[in-house]
Amino acid sequence: MAFIQAVLDGLMIGGVYAVISIGLTLVFGVMGIVNFAQAEFLTLGMFVAYFAWKFLGLDPLIGSFLSFVVIFGLGVVVQMTLIQRVLNAPPVAQIFVTVGLLIVIENLTLIVFGSDFHSVTTSYQTSTLRIGPLFIGIPYLAAFLMALLSAAALWLFTNKTWYGRAMRATAQDPMAANLMGINADRMRQIAFGLGVGMTAFGGAVILPYFTVHPTVGHQFVVLMFTVVVLGGLGSVAGAVVGGFAVGVIQSVSTLFFPIQLQNLVLFIVFLTVLAVRPTGLIGAAR
Amino acid sequence: MRQAILEVDGISKHFGGLAALDSVSFDVAPGEIVGLIGPNGAGKSTLFSTLVGLHKPTDGTVRLEGEDITGLKPHKVAARGLTKTFQNVALFMEATVLDNVLIGGLLRANVHDARELAKTCLARVGLADIAGKKAADLSFPERARVEVARALATKPKGLLLDEVMAALNRVEMEEIMDLIRSLSRDGLAVVVVEHHMHAIMTLCERIVVLNFGKKIAEGSPEEIARHPEVVRAYLGQEYE
Amino acid sequence: MKWWITGAVVLVAAAIVPTFLDPTGYAIRVLTLALLFAALGQAWNIVGGLANQISLGHAAFFGLGAYTSTILLINFGLSPWIGMLAGAAIAAVAAYLLSFPTMKLRGHYFALATLAFSEVLRVIAGSWTSVTGGPVGLSVPFSPDSFWLLQFKSTMPYYYIMLGALVVISGVFVWIRHSSLGYRLRALKENPEAAEVVGVNTTQVKISAAVISAALTATLGTLYAQFTYFFDPEAVFGIIPISVRAAIIAILGGAGTVVGPIIGAFLIVPMEEMANVLLSSRGAGLSQLAFGVMLIAIILIEPRGILALITNGVSRLRRRKSS
């Protein structure tokens, strides 16, 4: 029974992992760039939702939409001013622009917001749902449902709207997209905005059960990479499957290993996947 | 009949379900110059890549001096004495001409001796005076010659030349052909892929024709020129 | 041989400078750290600059060096000089093993894999409390002055030790560049297929560079531990404090050049230290912020580093004068 409970817990958090990782894989899929700063946008999303709660009294689950909008805008600006300029640069430039961005965002938040830990209080914070012998915390369930909602919305956007299809066309063949009258630069801005916006949204919805501080993103860096590498960099559906897989692996591994080693199992999975299927993964990406 | 140095026996290469090479066989003797022709996409470059170990063949064997070299890594194949040049020229662009050739020489010598060897090879292809230039600054015909020099520096017994005469004028082409002939006099087994039919016909003693990955003909230039299937598949369109 | 003379002059100057400084003061401490990080950047440069494999996991080897020598010192009283060799050997083996899963990875994938590897070690160091001290870290038992135990009250001896480390590692870098390994690395960096076809064993070349770089990085981890007396997992296995910093130091100055990491370290380390002093509590954030901004700026302006920026500028000036 403990095992089933662990799987259930893993699925709940895995849904959130999927959403925050979709952003990373989306950016890679459209631009071929691994955004090492992706987790920082999760931190920012959490802060936006936190201040929306503190000053506007918005529940984080509502504030998450505000997080999405604000970080989407920020993402467009970052794409225009930084990422756009290294699109055709060698990998070393692409890697270190986003690493630089990571350092800048982390330390800006540290300077502006201080190094304190913040958390919100909600009415449903300690409520749990009981299904027979199993328990689900309401905040976890809420975050899970919000994550599913946003993933579904993204799916609708990319498959059912002109913008979404244009974005996918840009990912597949920027030249051809250009010939069809699609502004590839604009599509990349939307893709980057969406990518970091999704991650920020994922950060905001976990705020009811997660404290926020400037370095909270650290905990998610390798985790996000594991999710997308498992699912295949660039594949949105893969990120969803990878998210659930990572959530469950993490949760189940705590049954067998001390909690500190939870991430160790993940890293080993990550390295193994890279080692065993490097061509497969790279092939899936480009 | 001279004893063959390079024996290609039933080489096949499939990419996914597609057969890029379908049971190709031919031999090359020391000092012989064999031409390999065929329409675009016939599998000539794939065959070269497979022979030097860049691709693992799906089936068949490659022997060099009687020893099986099938599936060896390219650097091991090079050490046994078989190397190739690249169709699209794959020089180390940031390095000087001399250093490009030196890297080939490192297979048989230390840095100092490889440098001397590289100078000899450059002189042989007629590029001694531009040894200090950066590879990226060379013209296309010069780059092709550096490719040849780099391959020579590995002291090969078999040499696969992939379109080294592309974009050359008549004089330059004659020079390269003289070079290839002199290499064959030294006992090298040379296989030449070339689109320029006149060059192939005058240079080679024997020609192998590929079409859709299959060998459709083999023989002397005269035989090939008259071969009905070859004429249909290839010469009809390009050789006047 | 003009660069020999320049090198000798700089070296003599570097050897004389500390005699004008307070041997326990702040300035010499900053210079000592700059030398250490220049050496770290140089060790990274062997993989990142010569082979163009962008490692974001050099902290793995740095940390292995720090932990190995310190654990041996605490538990067996073993001299850090011997511990340093042990750490280097362990790091070399780790790099050798890591090269198998990462063999075919390039660009972003290689960076990701190396990053994950160093995180594995950081997590282990933080969890295996009985040996590593867990998240609290380890303290080097204090017993100065002893050359054998690599401990001194004054900063001066450390300065010369770090200078020696930088000279040795730079020497290794220059030697590799002019050796057959260096030529092969260049070939590998530019065109791995062509390199193989003309006889370069690219697998072996990659492993050699990775192992040498890792072993040298580990020795610096030992020196760092002995210099700071105390470290925790984040200090030696951290992505930003070690892995990214090593890479940035090399890239900022000019990756693949011998002076690049030296320029990079002597810009970044003093800047960070000054910010820490001048701006006290929030200084850490500000100096890191400046660090990030500089990184982005150099990548956007001239990804080949400050050295290339200067040489380009000089040649442009010359052209303008002559025309």
Side-chain angles (χ1 to χ4, degrees):
Chain A
M1 199 46 65
F3 183 77
I4 297 174
Q5 180 69 50
V7 170
L8 191 64
D9 292 346
L11 287 175
M12 289 295 124
I13 189 74
V16 174
Y17 290 167
V19 166
I20 61 177
S21 310
I22 281 174
L24 186 60
T25 211
L26 197 65
V27 171
F28 187 87
V30 175
M31 282 172 283
I33 284 179
V34 173
N35 180 14
F36 283 89
Q38 190 77 21
E40 294 306 311
F41 292 95
L42 178 136
T43 310
L44 290 177
M46 288 180 88
F47 268 111
V48 171
Y50 171 73
F51 286 114
W53 171 80
K54 192 172 179 191
F55 296 115
L56 305 174
L58 284 181
D59 186 280
L61 296 178
I62 310 295
S64 60
F65 293 97
L66 187 65
S67 291
F68 174 82
V69 173
V70 172
I71 303 306
F72 178 92
L74 179 65
V76 171
V77 174
V78 167
Q79 168 67 25
M80 286 165 75
T81 51
L82 295 179
I83 311 294
Q84 182 71 32
R85 302 177 61 175
V86 294
L87 275 184
N88 300 313
V92 56
Q94 298 175 344
I95 291 170
F96 284 103
V97 158
T98 59
V99 169
L101 189 62
L102 183 162
I103 299 172
V104 166
I105 296 177
E106 181 179 318
N107 290 288
L108 266 181
T109 45
L110 193 69
I111 292 163
V112 177
F113 304 134
S115 54
D116 298 338
F117 288 68
H118 305 280
S119 55
V120 298
T121 46
T122 56
S123 55
Y124 51 83
Q125 206 147 28
T126 52
S127 324
T128 48
L129 183 70
R130 198 175 154 179
I131 314 163
L134 302 171
F135 295 90
I136 305 175
I138 293 294
Y140 292 85
L141 182 64
F144 174 75
L145 292 175
M146 292 295 277
L148 286 194
L149 180 79
S150 63
L154 181 78
W155 184 85
L156 281 176
F157 173 79
T158 48
N159 288 285
K160 300 289 172 193
T161 68
W162 182 86
Y163 270 101
R165 283 195 294 261
M167 200 170 80
R168 288 194 304 159
T170 308
Q172 274 162 14
D173 190 345
M175 296 274 273
N178 241 335
L179 288 176
M180 280 154 36
I182 295 167
N183 182 342
D185 287 348
R186 174 60 47 80
M187 289 306 141
R188 293 194 189 100
Q189 288 158 15
I190 292 174
F192 198 84
L194 265 182
V196 295
M198 290 290 285
T199 300
F201 184 89
V205 298
I206 59 171
L207 193 57
Y209 62 89
F210 222 95
T211 51
V212 56
H213 54 99
T215 56
V216 68
H218 285 192
Q219 301 170 45
F220 293 91
V221 176
V222 177
L223 191 145
M224 285 162 75
F225 289 137
T226 312
V227 170
V228 294
V229 167
L230 265 178
L233 255 173
S235 156
V236 170
V240 173
V241 177
F244 284 120
V246 165
V248 171
I249 292 169
Q250 210 182 29
S251 174
V252 169
S253 67
T254 53
L255 296 178
F256 306 101
F257 304 106
I259 189 120
Q260 308 96 299
L261 295 184
Q262 194 182 47
N263 284 334
L264 191 64
V265 177
L266 273 189
F267 298 152
I268 290 165
V269 169
F270 174 79
L271 278 172
T272 315
V273 171
L274 273 181
V276 175
R277 285 194 51 206
T279 48
L281 294 172
I282 292 163
R286 283 265 134 161
Chain B
M1 188 66 195
R2 289 167 291 184
Q3 175 62 43
I5 191 165
L6 174 66
E7 299 163 76
V8 180
D9 188 5
I11 285 291
S12 296
K13 176 68 195 173
H14 297 239
F15 291 109
L18 244 63
L21 295 172
D22 188 359
S23 196
V24 177
S25 304
F26 66 94
D27 293 345
V28 192
E32 197 180 13
I33 305 172
V34 171
L36 182 64
I37 63 172
N40 281 330
K44 294 164 297 191
S45 286
T46 308
L47 178 59
F48 274 10
S49 294
T50 309
L51 294 184
V52 298
L54 282 173
H55 302 313
K56 260 199 169 73
T58 316
D59 201 10
T61 52
V62 186
R63 273 186 294 272
L64 192 70
E65 295 186 300
E67 282 184 60
D68 192 348
I69 59 162
T70 322
L72 289 185
K73 284 196 168 185
H75 72 265
K76 290 218 165 111
V77 174
R80 298 288 180 92
L82 181 66
T83 189
K84 70 161 201 143
T85 65
F86 284 79
Q87 185 188 359
N88 299 317
V89 181
L91 293 180
F92 312 120
M93 292 297 174
E94 293 297 312
T96 63
V97 168
L98 184 66
D99 286 353
N100 264 278
V101 182
L102 188 158
I103 286 161
L106 287 175
L107 183 59
R108 314 272 179 215
N110 62 28
V111 175
H112 180 265
D113 295 346
R115 186 171 289 123
E116 295 309 312
L117 180 59
K119 284 177 188 163
T120 320
C121 294
L122 277 173
R124 186 141 195 202
V125 301
L127 292 180
D129 47 333
I130 59 160
K133 261 197 180 177
K134 215 167 96 170
D137 298 336
L138 300 185
S139 68
F140 191 85
E142 287 171 329
R143 288 181 191 187
R145 284 182 188 216
V146 178
E147 280 259 348
V148 176
R150 186 176 65 182
L152 286 180
T154 67
K155 296 191 177 166
K157 293 167 181 136
L159 181 57
L160 314 177
L161 300 174
D162 202 345
E163 295 201 29
V164 288
M165 285 180 256
L168 298 195
N169 65 32
R170 196 153 283 273
V171 178
E172 291 165 335
M173 206 181 291
E174 285 300 330
E175 285 172 6
I176 290 279
M177 283 162 64
D178 283 343
L179 171 66
I180 295 172
R181 287 193 190 97
S182 88
L183 294 176
S184 94
R185 279 196 296 277
D186 290 354
L188 242 77
V190 186
V191 184
V192 184
V193 162
E194 204 54 62
H195 271 300
H196 206 283
M197 291 314 299
H198 174 74
I200 286 280
M201 291 291 176
T202 52
L203 186 64
C204 302
E205 306 158 50
R206 200 149 50 84
I207 293 174
V208 172
V209 189
L210 286 187
N211 196 19
F212 295 114
K214 273 197 179 122
K215 184 172 90 172
I216 57 170
E218 180 175 350
S220 68
E222 297 74 29
E223 287 164 351
I224 292 300
R226 287 194 303 268
H227 198 288
E229 205 177 338
V230 175
V231 173
R232 195 168 55 243
Y234 183 77
L235 297 175
Q237 348 161 356
E238 291 187 27
Y239 185 61
E240 316 293 336
Chain C
M1 292 306 261
K2 220 171 114 194
W3 70 269
W4 271 111
I5 300 166
T6 321
V9 169
V10 171
L11 198 58
V12 169
I16 294 171
V17 162
T19 55
F20 299 104
L21 299 172
D22 173 6
T24 55
Y26 189 67
I28 192 167
R29 193 178 164 79
V30 173
L31 290 178
T32 305
L33 275 175
L35 288 169
L36 171 71
F37 279 105
L40 180 62
Q42 198 73 281
W44 182 90
N45 209 9
I46 293 170
V47 170
L50 292 180
N52 202 22
Q53 290 278 63
I54 307 304
S55 159
L56 283 183
H58 260 53
F61 313 119
F62 192 81
L64 280 175
Y67 272 100
T68 304
S69 65
T70 308
I71 289 168
L72 290 175
L73 177 61
I74 292 173
N75 296 312
F76 307 105
L78 201 66
S79 159
W81 292 108
I82 297 169
M84 183 192 278
L85 295 179
I90 289 174
V93 171
Y96 180 75
L97 296 177
L98 181 66
S99 65
F100 290 99
T102 59
M103 185 55 66
K104 290 192 174 137
L105 306 177
R106 307 186 77 186
H108 296 106
Y109 286 89
F110 185 81
L112 278 177
T114 49
L115 184 147
F117 178 67
S118 77
E119 284 292 278
V120 168
L121 296 187
R122 189 177 64 87
V123 171
I124 293 175
S127 328
W128 196 9
T129 311
S130 58
V131 177
T132 62
V136 179
L138 289 176
S139 298
V140 175
F142 190 64
S143 53
D145 282 341
S146 160
F147 183 77
W148 180 239
L149 290 180
L150 201 80
Q151 291 191 20
F152 310 95
K153 286 198 202 79
S154 152
T155 309
M156 186 102 83
Y158 289 110
Y159 176 94
Y160 287 107
I161 288 169
M162 300 306 178
L163 180 62
L166 175 59
V167 169
V168 167
I169 295 179
S170 299
V172 171
F173 179 86
V174 171
W175 170 76
I176 288 178
R177 212 172 48 177
H178 291 96
S179 73
S180 59
L181 178 59
Y183 282 100
R184 291 185 174 120
L185 278 168
R186 263 163 85 182
L188 167 72
K189 173 178 168 176
E190 288 214 46
N191 195 325
E193 275 200 352
E196 273 278 338
V197 168
V198 296
V200 176
N201 184 345
T202 51
T203 310
Q204 193 191 55
V205 166
K206 270 187 207 171
I207 294 178
S208 307
V211 165
I212 294 171
S213 174
L216 293 174
T217 303
T219 64
L220 298 171
T222 298
L223 293 182
Y224 175 85
Q226 293 299 122
F227 179 55
T228 58
Y229 284 104
F230 164 77
F231 59 89
D232 61 14
E234 177 65 18
V236 293
F237 281 125
I239 300 172
I240 305 285
I242 304 299
S243 295
V244 170
R245 184 176 296 168
I248 291 173
I249 280 171
I251 291 168
L252 190 68
T257 66
V258 66
V259 289
I262 300 170
I263 295 175
F266 277 85
L267 278 173
I268 285 179
V269 175
M271 181 203 78
E272 283 182 320
E273 291 296 323
M274 258 156 61
N276 287 348
V277 171
L278 296 175
L279 305 159
S280 65
S281 65
R282 292 213 157 167
L286 267 180
S287 69
Q288 290 299 304
L289 181 65
F291 182 58
V293 171
M294 274 172 77
L295 173 61
I296 293 175
I298 191 71
I299 291 290
L300 293 184
I301 298 166
E302 175 53 273
R304 286 175 301 159
I306 285 175
L307 195 65
L309 199 64
I310 295 169
T311 37
N312 286 354
V314 169
S315 64
R316 210 170 298 154
L317 271 180
R318 274 201 195 134
R319 237 177 289 145
R320 203 171 295 164
K321 265 184 196 161
S322 64
S323 64

